[in-house]
Amino acid sequence: MYSKNLIKGTLQTIILKQLEDNGRMYGYEITQRVKELSDGKIEITEGALYPTLHKLEADGIVTTEKEFIGKRVRKYYTLTETGGTVATEKSTELNDFIATIARILQPKPTI
Amino acid sequence: MYSKNLIKGTLQTIILKQLEDNGRMYGYEITQRVKELSDGKIEITEGALYPTLHKLEADGIVTTEKEFIGKRVRKYYTLTETGGTVATEKSTELNDFIATIARILQPKPTI
DNA sequence: TTTGAATACATAAGAAACTTATGTATATTT
DNA sequence: AAATATACATAAGTTTCTTATGTATTCAAA
């Protein structure tokens, strides 16, 4: 696991990217998928996940549908049309940002 | 410029890396160097910079010396021995983190 | 068969790390 | 002379997490 504060600012984009890649997903599924993709290095906490998803819905970036699996409810999230655009934009921006950071962190060449 | 919240969590490491690469630096110099290295995409605000530097000093990661340039004072920051270790560790962690993010953001292969 | 772990949602209090605003002062450029 | 750049600093406010807590179902293991 990375020091907690590294995730700050990137969480929303990570979630949007998952929805972009996988279509319809539910919250818990997103946490598991990200954990898997990051080899256990990124574990999204529920306290961060659900408020973020609720905000995305309030902002019209995702829509939700409830589904019953036995007696247990699942809430599926899907990107809206606007959401698709936002997801792509955010994803591109984060990609650009990490490229910039990588450049800054590049070991100083030993002349 | 990137959306403000992307910098969150990375600022301290960026500062430490600059001190590692360039040795003795003053605050304003760090902002200018990072701006240059990022092609103007990362502008460290003073409200973020100075509290961070003060915290690093309080934590024994850097030491300071004041110097007068004419009538104007400059405060130079240098990594302590502990600070050097911390800088390397943080730098490595951030590098690892962005590699993980890059993997997650990787465009889904069209099968 | 009951206990613990995993699945699945949710919210609230508190902390961290920023932004924005403000202040002071000197030096340089237009 | 005025605007911009250099150079420090702090305070209030916001965002975005963490940590803690709560509810409930399902499954595996002891």
mmCIF file of all heavy atoms in Angstrom, chain A residues 5 8 26-28 46-47 50 54 72 74-75, chain C residues 6-13 15-18:
data_model
loop_
_atom_site.group_PDB
_atom_site.id
_atom_site.type_symbol
_atom_site.label_atom_id
_atom_site.label_comp_id
_atom_site.label_asym_id
_atom_site.label_seq_id
_atom_site.Cartn_x
_atom_site.Cartn_y
_atom_site.Cartn_z
ATOM 1 N N ASN A 5 -1.916 9.581 1.301
ATOM 2 C CA ASN A 5 -2.252 10.826 0.631
ATOM 3 C C ASN A 5 -1.899 10.875 -0.865
ATOM 4 O O ASN A 5 -2.255 11.818 -1.548
ATOM 5 C CB ASN A 5 -1.628 12.013 1.357
ATOM 6 C CG ASN A 5 -0.140 11.856 1.524
ATOM 7 O OD1 ASN A 5 0.352 10.769 1.795
ATOM 8 N ND2 ASN A 5 0.586 12.924 1.330
ATOM 9 N N LYS A 8 -4.931 10.984 -3.247
ATOM 10 C CA LYS A 8 -5.708 12.231 -3.294
ATOM 11 C C LYS A 8 -5.680 12.877 -4.677
ATOM 12 O O LYS A 8 -4.633 13.077 -5.255
ATOM 13 C CB LYS A 8 -5.177 13.239 -2.272
ATOM 14 C CG LYS A 8 -5.495 12.832 -0.855
ATOM 15 C CD LYS A 8 -5.754 14.028 0.032
ATOM 16 C CE LYS A 8 -6.117 13.520 1.421
ATOM 17 N NZ LYS A 8 -6.563 14.546 2.322
ATOM 18 N N TYR A 26 -20.605 -2.023 -10.089
ATOM 19 C CA TYR A 26 -21.078 -1.587 -8.770
ATOM 20 C C TYR A 26 -19.867 -1.268 -7.901
ATOM 21 O O TYR A 26 -18.737 -1.698 -8.205
ATOM 22 C CB TYR A 26 -22.000 -2.621 -8.133
ATOM 23 C CG TYR A 26 -21.449 -4.010 -7.955
ATOM 24 C CD1 TYR A 26 -20.921 -4.420 -6.732
ATOM 25 C CD2 TYR A 26 -21.456 -4.925 -9.014
ATOM 26 C CE1 TYR A 26 -20.434 -5.706 -6.554
ATOM 27 C CE2 TYR A 26 -20.962 -6.207 -8.841
ATOM 28 C CZ TYR A 26 -20.451 -6.593 -7.603
ATOM 29 O OH TYR A 26 -19.953 -7.858 -7.442
ATOM 30 N N GLY A 27 -20.122 -0.500 -6.833
ATOM 31 C CA GLY A 27 -19.047 0.044 -6.010
ATOM 32 C C GLY A 27 -18.004 -0.951 -5.565
ATOM 33 O O GLY A 27 -16.801 -0.778 -5.842
ATOM 34 N N TYR A 28 -18.456 -1.964 -4.918
ATOM 35 C CA TYR A 28 -17.539 -2.974 -4.384
ATOM 36 C C TYR A 28 -16.681 -3.585 -5.492
ATOM 37 O O TYR A 28 -15.498 -3.846 -5.310
ATOM 38 C CB TYR A 28 -18.342 -4.065 -3.671
ATOM 39 C CG TYR A 28 -17.498 -5.068 -2.929
ATOM 40 C CD1 TYR A 28 -16.902 -4.742 -1.719
ATOM 41 C CD2 TYR A 28 -17.297 -6.352 -3.432
ATOM 42 C CE1 TYR A 28 -16.123 -5.664 -1.030
ATOM 43 C CE2 TYR A 28 -16.521 -7.272 -2.756
ATOM 44 C CZ TYR A 28 -15.937 -6.926 -1.555
ATOM 45 O OH TYR A 28 -15.176 -7.840 -0.886
ATOM 46 N N GLU A 46 -14.089 2.402 1.667
ATOM 47 C CA GLU A 46 -15.521 2.653 1.455
ATOM 48 C C GLU A 46 -15.889 4.108 1.755
ATOM 49 O O GLU A 46 -16.729 4.683 1.077
ATOM 50 C CB GLU A 46 -16.335 1.714 2.331
ATOM 51 C CG GLU A 46 -16.144 0.264 1.916
ATOM 52 C CD GLU A 46 -16.722 -0.685 2.943
ATOM 53 O OE1 GLU A 46 -16.202 -0.703 4.084
ATOM 54 O OE2 GLU A 46 -17.693 -1.397 2.618
ATOM 55 N N GLY A 47 -15.215 4.658 2.768
ATOM 56 C CA GLY A 47 -15.453 6.050 3.148
ATOM 57 C C GLY A 47 -15.080 7.037 2.057
ATOM 58 O O GLY A 47 -15.576 8.164 2.025
ATOM 59 N N TYR A 50 -17.882 5.616 -1.660
ATOM 60 C CA TYR A 50 -19.307 5.922 -1.787
ATOM 61 C C TYR A 50 -19.605 7.415 -1.906
ATOM 62 O O TYR A 50 -20.392 7.816 -2.784
ATOM 63 C CB TYR A 50 -20.103 5.229 -0.685
ATOM 64 C CG TYR A 50 -20.063 3.712 -0.838
ATOM 65 C CD1 TYR A 50 -19.392 2.902 0.067
ATOM 66 C CD2 TYR A 50 -20.654 3.097 -1.944
ATOM 67 C CE1 TYR A 50 -19.331 1.514 -0.103
ATOM 68 C CE2 TYR A 50 -20.588 1.720 -2.122
ATOM 69 C CZ TYR A 50 -19.931 0.936 -1.192
ATOM 70 O OH TYR A 50 -19.866 -0.423 -1.374
ATOM 71 N N HIS A 54 -21.510 9.033 -5.112
ATOM 72 C CA HIS A 54 -22.719 9.847 -4.933
ATOM 73 C C HIS A 54 -22.551 11.224 -5.564
ATOM 74 O O HIS A 54 -23.492 11.768 -6.141
ATOM 75 C CB HIS A 54 -23.051 9.981 -3.443
ATOM 76 C CG HIS A 54 -23.330 8.665 -2.784
ATOM 77 N ND1 HIS A 54 -23.326 8.495 -1.424
ATOM 78 C CD2 HIS A 54 -23.602 7.438 -3.309
ATOM 79 C CE1 HIS A 54 -23.592 7.230 -1.136
ATOM 80 N NE2 HIS A 54 -23.762 6.574 -2.251
ATOM 81 N N ARG A 72 -29.803 -9.347 -1.250
ATOM 82 C CA ARG A 72 -28.862 -8.236 -1.104
ATOM 83 C C ARG A 72 -28.938 -7.307 -2.307
ATOM 84 O O ARG A 72 -29.020 -7.758 -3.439
ATOM 85 C CB ARG A 72 -27.446 -8.790 -0.939
ATOM 86 C CG ARG A 72 -26.452 -7.748 -0.535
ATOM 87 C CD ARG A 72 -25.280 -8.333 0.198
ATOM 88 N NE ARG A 72 -24.635 -9.367 -0.599
ATOM 89 C CZ ARG A 72 -23.721 -10.188 -0.111
ATOM 90 N NH1 ARG A 72 -23.368 -10.119 1.159
ATOM 91 N NH2 ARG A 72 -23.166 -11.086 -0.878
ATOM 92 N N ARG A 74 -27.555 -4.450 -4.903
ATOM 93 C CA ARG A 74 -26.363 -3.905 -5.536
ATOM 94 C C ARG A 74 -26.773 -2.650 -6.275
ATOM 95 O O ARG A 74 -27.855 -2.584 -6.846
ATOM 96 C CB ARG A 74 -25.814 -4.880 -6.572
ATOM 97 C CG ARG A 74 -24.760 -5.776 -6.080
ATOM 98 C CD ARG A 74 -24.201 -6.544 -7.235
ATOM 99 N NE ARG A 74 -23.532 -7.751 -6.780
ATOM 100 C CZ ARG A 74 -23.228 -8.767 -7.567
ATOM 101 N NH1 ARG A 74 -23.577 -8.740 -8.839
ATOM 102 N NH2 ARG A 74 -22.596 -9.810 -7.093
ATOM 103 N N LYS A 75 -25.864 -1.673 -6.286
ATOM 104 C CA LYS A 75 -26.159 -0.434 -7.002
ATOM 105 C C LYS A 75 -25.164 -0.321 -8.151
ATOM 106 O O LYS A 75 -23.965 -0.164 -7.931
ATOM 107 C CB LYS A 75 -26.034 0.749 -6.043
ATOM 108 C CG LYS A 75 -26.847 1.948 -6.429
ATOM 109 C CD LYS A 75 -26.908 2.913 -5.255
ATOM 110 C CE LYS A 75 -27.196 4.324 -5.686
ATOM 111 N NZ LYS A 75 -27.114 5.249 -4.538
ATOM 112 P P DA C 6 -11.454 -12.159 4.291
ATOM 113 O OP1 DA C 6 -10.324 -12.708 3.495
ATOM 114 O OP2 DA C 6 -11.325 -10.883 5.023
ATOM 115 O "O5'" DA C 6 -12.729 -12.045 3.330
ATOM 116 C "C5'" DA C 6 -13.193 -13.207 2.642
ATOM 117 C "C4'" DA C 6 -14.498 -12.887 1.942
ATOM 118 O "O4'" DA C 6 -15.543 -12.714 2.928
ATOM 119 C "C3'" DA C 6 -14.469 -11.601 1.109
ATOM 120 O "O3'" DA C 6 -14.935 -11.889 -0.197
ATOM 121 C "C2'" DA C 6 -15.385 -10.646 1.864
ATOM 122 C "C1'" DA C 6 -16.348 -11.619 2.537
ATOM 123 N N9 DA C 6 -16.993 -11.100 3.741
ATOM 124 C C8 DA C 6 -16.401 -10.564 4.854
ATOM 125 N N7 DA C 6 -17.251 -10.193 5.793
ATOM 126 C C5 DA C 6 -18.488 -10.509 5.251
ATOM 127 C C6 DA C 6 -19.810 -10.357 5.737
ATOM 128 N N6 DA C 6 -20.098 -9.835 6.935
ATOM 129 N N1 DA C 6 -20.816 -10.775 4.942
ATOM 130 C C2 DA C 6 -20.525 -11.299 3.745
ATOM 131 N N3 DA C 6 -19.340 -11.494 3.181
ATOM 132 C C4 DA C 6 -18.347 -11.073 3.996
ATOM 133 P P DT C 7 -15.051 -10.787 -1.313
ATOM 134 O OP1 DT C 7 -14.890 -11.476 -2.606
ATOM 135 O OP2 DT C 7 -14.202 -9.628 -0.963
ATOM 136 O "O5'" DT C 7 -16.573 -10.328 -1.175
ATOM 137 C "C5'" DT C 7 -17.593 -11.262 -1.513
ATOM 138 C "C4'" DT C 7 -18.952 -10.651 -1.282
ATOM 139 O "O4'" DT C 7 -19.116 -10.298 0.107
ATOM 140 C "C3'" DT C 7 -19.218 -9.362 -2.072
ATOM 141 O "O3'" DT C 7 -20.465 -9.518 -2.743
ATOM 142 C "C2'" DT C 7 -19.278 -8.277 -1.008
ATOM 143 C "C1'" DT C 7 -19.812 -9.076 0.174
ATOM 144 N N1 DT C 7 -19.571 -8.492 1.520
ATOM 145 C C2 DT C 7 -20.667 -8.235 2.314
ATOM 146 O O2 DT C 7 -21.814 -8.454 1.973
ATOM 147 N N3 DT C 7 -20.373 -7.695 3.545
ATOM 148 C C4 DT C 7 -19.117 -7.410 4.048
ATOM 149 O O4 DT C 7 -18.979 -6.938 5.175
ATOM 150 C C5 DT C 7 -18.008 -7.697 3.153
ATOM 151 C C7 DT C 7 -16.601 -7.414 3.606
ATOM 152 C C6 DT C 7 -18.287 -8.218 1.955
ATOM 153 P P DA C 8 -20.887 -8.566 -3.938
ATOM 154 O OP1 DA C 8 -22.054 -9.144 -4.610
ATOM 155 O OP2 DA C 8 -19.639 -8.328 -4.712
ATOM 156 O "O5'" DA C 8 -21.267 -7.208 -3.215
ATOM 157 C "C5'" DA C 8 -22.639 -6.832 -3.075
ATOM 158 C "C4'" DA C 8 -22.802 -5.636 -2.174
ATOM 159 O "O4'" DA C 8 -22.357 -5.918 -0.824
ATOM 160 C "C3'" DA C 8 -22.058 -4.346 -2.521
ATOM 161 O "O3'" DA C 8 -22.822 -3.584 -3.438
ATOM 162 C "C2'" DA C 8 -21.936 -3.654 -1.167
ATOM 163 C "C1'" DA C 8 -22.455 -4.684 -0.167
ATOM 164 N N9 DA C 8 -21.688 -4.694 1.076
ATOM 165 C C8 DA C 8 -20.346 -4.957 1.258
ATOM 166 N N7 DA C 8 -19.932 -4.829 2.495
ATOM 167 C C5 DA C 8 -21.070 -4.447 3.179
ATOM 168 C C6 DA C 8 -21.312 -4.143 4.537
ATOM 169 N N6 DA C 8 -20.368 -4.166 5.486
ATOM 170 N N1 DA C 8 -22.576 -3.802 4.890
ATOM 171 C C2 DA C 8 -23.519 -3.759 3.946
ATOM 172 N N3 DA C 8 -23.425 -4.033 2.650
ATOM 173 C C4 DA C 8 -22.162 -4.368 2.317
ATOM 174 P P DC C 9 -22.286 -2.099 -3.791
ATOM 175 O OP1 DC C 9 -22.983 -1.769 -5.046
ATOM 176 O OP2 DC C 9 -20.822 -2.009 -3.731
ATOM 177 O "O5'" DC C 9 -22.890 -1.170 -2.625
ATOM 178 C "C5'" DC C 9 -24.288 -0.906 -2.633
ATOM 179 C "C4'" DC C 9 -24.780 -0.518 -1.269
ATOM 180 O "O4'" DC C 9 -24.128 -1.288 -0.232
ATOM 181 C "C3'" DC C 9 -24.474 0.911 -0.842
ATOM 182 O "O3'" DC C 9 -25.391 1.807 -1.455
ATOM 183 C "C2'" DC C 9 -24.707 0.825 0.660
ATOM 184 C "C1'" DC C 9 -24.330 -0.611 1.001
ATOM 185 N N1 DC C 9 -23.091 -0.709 1.816
ATOM 186 C C2 DC C 9 -23.190 -0.498 3.195
ATOM 187 O O2 DC C 9 -24.302 -0.259 3.692
ATOM 188 N N3 DC C 9 -22.079 -0.573 3.963
ATOM 189 C C4 DC C 9 -20.902 -0.848 3.395
ATOM 190 N N4 DC C 9 -19.832 -0.914 4.189
ATOM 191 C C5 DC C 9 -20.767 -1.062 1.983
ATOM 192 C C6 DC C 9 -21.884 -0.982 1.239
ATOM 193 P P DA C 10 -25.019 3.357 -1.497
ATOM 194 O OP1 DA C 10 -26.156 4.020 -2.148
ATOM 195 O OP2 DA C 10 -23.652 3.507 -2.033
ATOM 196 O "O5'" DA C 10 -24.961 3.754 0.049
ATOM 197 C "C5'" DA C 10 -26.151 3.714 0.837
ATOM 198 C "C4'" DA C 10 -25.814 4.193 2.238
ATOM 199 O "O4'" DA C 10 -24.851 3.290 2.836
ATOM 200 C "C3'" DA C 10 -25.128 5.556 2.234
ATOM 201 O "O3'" DA C 10 -26.101 6.562 2.518
ATOM 202 C "C2'" DA C 10 -24.098 5.468 3.339
ATOM 203 C "C1'" DA C 10 -24.148 4.034 3.814
ATOM 204 N N9 DA C 10 -22.801 3.467 3.945
ATOM 205 C C8 DA C 10 -21.985 2.959 2.972
ATOM 206 N N7 DA C 10 -20.820 2.532 3.412
ATOM 207 C C5 DA C 10 -20.877 2.771 4.773
ATOM 208 C C6 DA C 10 -19.960 2.545 5.823
ATOM 209 N N6 DA C 10 -18.747 2.010 5.648
ATOM 210 N N1 DA C 10 -20.326 2.910 7.078
ATOM 211 C C2 DA C 10 -21.539 3.449 7.256
ATOM 212 N N3 DA C 10 -22.504 3.700 6.355
ATOM 213 C C4 DA C 10 -22.096 3.339 5.116
ATOM 214 P P DT C 11 -25.694 8.067 2.448
ATOM 215 O OP1 DT C 11 -26.941 8.805 2.214
ATOM 216 O OP2 DT C 11 -24.546 8.230 1.546
ATOM 217 O "O5'" DT C 11 -25.170 8.378 3.922
ATOM 218 C "C5'" DT C 11 -25.934 7.972 5.052
ATOM 219 C "C4'" DT C 11 -25.152 8.301 6.307
ATOM 220 O "O4'" DT C 11 -24.006 7.409 6.422
ATOM 221 C "C3'" DT C 11 -24.588 9.726 6.327
ATOM 222 O "O3'" DT C 11 -24.836 10.281 7.605
ATOM 223 C "C2'" DT C 11 -23.099 9.528 6.089
ATOM 224 C "C1'" DT C 11 -22.860 8.171 6.735
ATOM 225 N N1 DT C 11 -21.677 7.436 6.226
ATOM 226 C C2 DT C 11 -20.764 6.930 7.138
ATOM 227 O O2 DT C 11 -20.889 7.073 8.340
ATOM 228 N N3 DT C 11 -19.700 6.259 6.597
ATOM 229 C C4 DT C 11 -19.458 6.033 5.256
ATOM 230 O O4 DT C 11 -18.464 5.406 4.899
ATOM 231 C C5 DT C 11 -20.443 6.588 4.346
ATOM 232 C C7 DT C 11 -20.263 6.415 2.873
ATOM 233 C C6 DT C 11 -21.494 7.246 4.864
ATOM 234 P P DA C 12 -24.785 11.841 7.815
ATOM 235 O OP1 DA C 12 -26.150 12.286 8.165
ATOM 236 O OP2 DA C 12 -24.065 12.453 6.674
ATOM 237 O "O5'" DA C 12 -23.854 11.968 9.096
ATOM 238 C "C5'" DA C 12 -23.818 10.944 10.102
ATOM 239 C "C4'" DA C 12 -22.567 11.152 10.926
ATOM 240 O "O4'" DA C 12 -21.495 10.344 10.373
ATOM 241 C "C3'" DA C 12 -22.053 12.588 10.921
ATOM 242 O "O3'" DA C 12 -21.538 12.902 12.207
ATOM 243 C "C2'" DA C 12 -20.968 12.576 9.866
ATOM 244 C "C1'" DA C 12 -20.391 11.179 10.076
ATOM 245 N N9 DA C 12 -19.701 10.618 8.906
ATOM 246 C C8 DA C 12 -20.068 10.712 7.589
ATOM 247 N N7 DA C 12 -19.240 10.099 6.772
ATOM 248 C C5 DA C 12 -18.272 9.566 7.601
ATOM 249 C C6 DA C 12 -17.112 8.797 7.351
ATOM 250 N N6 DA C 12 -16.726 8.425 6.130
ATOM 251 N N1 DA C 12 -16.360 8.442 8.405
ATOM 252 C C2 DA C 12 -16.741 8.821 9.625
ATOM 253 N N3 DA C 12 -17.806 9.530 9.996
ATOM 254 C C4 DA C 12 -18.541 9.879 8.919
ATOM 255 P P DA C 13 -21.237 14.415 12.605
ATOM 256 O OP1 DA C 13 -22.226 14.814 13.630
ATOM 257 O OP2 DA C 13 -21.087 15.213 11.364
ATOM 258 O "O5'" DA C 13 -19.810 14.266 13.299
ATOM 259 C "C5'" DA C 13 -19.527 13.151 14.150
ATOM 260 C "C4'" DA C 13 -18.035 12.984 14.274
ATOM 261 O "O4'" DA C 13 -17.506 12.385 13.069
ATOM 262 C "C3'" DA C 13 -17.275 14.293 14.466
ATOM 263 O "O3'" DA C 13 -16.223 14.071 15.396
ATOM 264 C "C2'" DA C 13 -16.750 14.624 13.062
ATOM 265 C "C1'" DA C 13 -16.476 13.213 12.530
ATOM 266 N N9 DA C 13 -16.522 13.080 11.073
ATOM 267 C C8 DA C 13 -17.431 13.616 10.203
ATOM 268 N N7 DA C 13 -17.217 13.304 8.943
ATOM 269 C C5 DA C 13 -16.086 12.505 8.989
ATOM 270 C C6 DA C 13 -15.348 11.842 7.979
ATOM 271 N N6 DA C 13 -15.646 11.892 6.686
ATOM 272 N N1 DA C 13 -14.268 11.130 8.362
ATOM 273 C C2 DA C 13 -13.967 11.082 9.666
ATOM 274 N N3 DA C 13 -14.576 11.647 10.702
ATOM 275 C C4 DA C 13 -15.650 12.354 10.291
ATOM 276 P P DA C 15 -8.749 15.752 14.507
ATOM 277 O OP1 DA C 15 -7.881 15.388 15.640
ATOM 278 O OP2 DA C 15 -9.323 17.108 14.385
ATOM 279 O "O5'" DA C 15 -7.983 15.408 13.161
ATOM 280 C "C5'" DA C 15 -7.707 14.040 12.834
ATOM 281 C "C4'" DA C 15 -6.926 14.002 11.532
ATOM 282 O "O4'" DA C 15 -7.828 14.226 10.431
ATOM 283 C "C3'" DA C 15 -5.837 15.055 11.449
ATOM 284 O "O3'" DA C 15 -4.680 14.439 10.906
ATOM 285 C "C2'" DA C 15 -6.433 16.137 10.540
ATOM 286 C "C1'" DA C 15 -7.377 15.322 9.651
ATOM 287 N N9 DA C 15 -8.578 16.042 9.207
ATOM 288 C C8 DA C 15 -9.397 16.844 9.960
ATOM 289 N N7 DA C 15 -10.425 17.331 9.285
ATOM 290 C C5 DA C 15 -10.265 16.802 8.018
ATOM 291 C C6 DA C 15 -11.019 16.933 6.832
ATOM 292 N N6 DA C 15 -12.132 17.663 6.732
ATOM 293 N N1 DA C 15 -10.586 16.278 5.740
ATOM 294 C C2 DA C 15 -9.475 15.544 5.824
ATOM 295 N N3 DA C 15 -8.684 15.339 6.878
ATOM 296 C C4 DA C 15 -9.138 16.007 7.953
ATOM 297 P P DA C 16 -3.324 15.299 10.726
ATOM 298 O OP1 DA C 16 -2.215 14.441 11.181
ATOM 299 O OP2 DA C 16 -3.520 16.668 11.266
ATOM 300 O "O5'" DA C 16 -3.252 15.404 9.136
ATOM 301 C "C5'" DA C 16 -3.577 14.268 8.347
ATOM 302 C "C4'" DA C 16 -3.499 14.660 6.893
ATOM 303 O "O4'" DA C 16 -4.712 15.347 6.516
ATOM 304 C "C3'" DA C 16 -2.344 15.597 6.567
ATOM 305 O "O3'" DA C 16 -1.749 15.105 5.381
ATOM 306 C "C2'" DA C 16 -3.015 16.962 6.390
ATOM 307 C "C1'" DA C 16 -4.405 16.587 5.902
ATOM 308 N N9 DA C 16 -5.497 17.487 6.273
ATOM 309 C C8 DA C 16 -5.709 18.115 7.468
ATOM 310 N N7 DA C 16 -6.811 18.833 7.503
ATOM 311 C C5 DA C 16 -7.368 18.652 6.244
ATOM 312 C C6 DA C 16 -8.548 19.138 5.649
ATOM 313 N N6 DA C 16 -9.416 19.938 6.261
ATOM 314 N N1 DA C 16 -8.795 18.759 4.376
ATOM 315 C C2 DA C 16 -7.929 17.949 3.751
ATOM 316 N N3 DA C 16 -6.795 17.426 4.210
ATOM 317 C C4 DA C 16 -6.571 17.822 5.479
ATOM 318 P P DA C 17 -0.401 15.801 4.831
ATOM 319 O OP1 DA C 17 0.397 14.713 4.204
ATOM 320 O OP2 DA C 17 0.184 16.692 5.855
ATOM 321 O "O5'" DA C 17 -1.002 16.708 3.675
ATOM 322 C "C5'" DA C 17 -1.843 16.114 2.691
ATOM 323 C "C4'" DA C 17 -2.308 17.212 1.773
ATOM 324 O "O4'" DA C 17 -3.397 17.921 2.395
ATOM 325 C "C3'" DA C 17 -1.225 18.268 1.498
ATOM 326 O "O3'" DA C 17 -1.259 18.610 0.134
ATOM 327 C "C2'" DA C 17 -1.644 19.441 2.355
ATOM 328 C "C1'" DA C 17 -3.155 19.305 2.275
ATOM 329 N N9 DA C 17 -3.897 19.988 3.332
ATOM 330 C C8 DA C 17 -3.489 20.249 4.611
ATOM 331 N N7 DA C 17 -4.382 20.903 5.328
ATOM 332 C C5 DA C 17 -5.442 21.068 4.455
ATOM 333 C C6 DA C 17 -6.697 21.685 4.604
ATOM 334 N N6 DA C 17 -7.110 22.262 5.729
ATOM 335 N N1 DA C 17 -7.520 21.680 3.537
ATOM 336 C C2 DA C 17 -7.112 21.098 2.399
ATOM 337 N N3 DA C 17 -5.958 20.488 2.143
ATOM 338 C C4 DA C 17 -5.153 20.509 3.228
ATOM 339 P P DC C 18 0.058 19.208 -0.598
ATOM 340 O OP1 DC C 18 0.763 18.073 -1.173
ATOM 341 O OP2 DC C 18 0.722 20.112 0.355
ATOM 342 O "O5'" DC C 18 -0.560 20.056 -1.792
ATOM 343 C "C5'" DC C 18 -0.981 21.398 -1.609
ATOM 344 C "C4'" DC C 18 -2.465 21.506 -1.872
ATOM 345 O "O4'" DC C 18 -3.167 21.277 -0.632
ATOM 346 C "C3'" DC C 18 -2.890 22.888 -2.337
ATOM 347 O "O3'" DC C 18 -2.954 22.894 -3.758
ATOM 348 C "C2'" DC C 18 -4.246 23.075 -1.721
ATOM 349 C "C1'" DC C 18 -4.262 22.172 -0.514
ATOM 350 N N1 DC C 18 -4.180 22.881 0.800
ATOM 351 C C2 DC C 18 -5.324 23.540 1.278
ATOM 352 O O2 DC C 18 -6.336 23.541 0.578
ATOM 353 N N3 DC C 18 -5.272 24.150 2.480
ATOM 354 C C4 DC C 18 -4.152 24.124 3.209
ATOM 355 N N4 DC C 18 -4.164 24.730 4.400
ATOM 356 C C5 DC C 18 -2.967 23.467 2.734
ATOM 357 C C6 DC C 18 -3.019 22.872 1.533
#
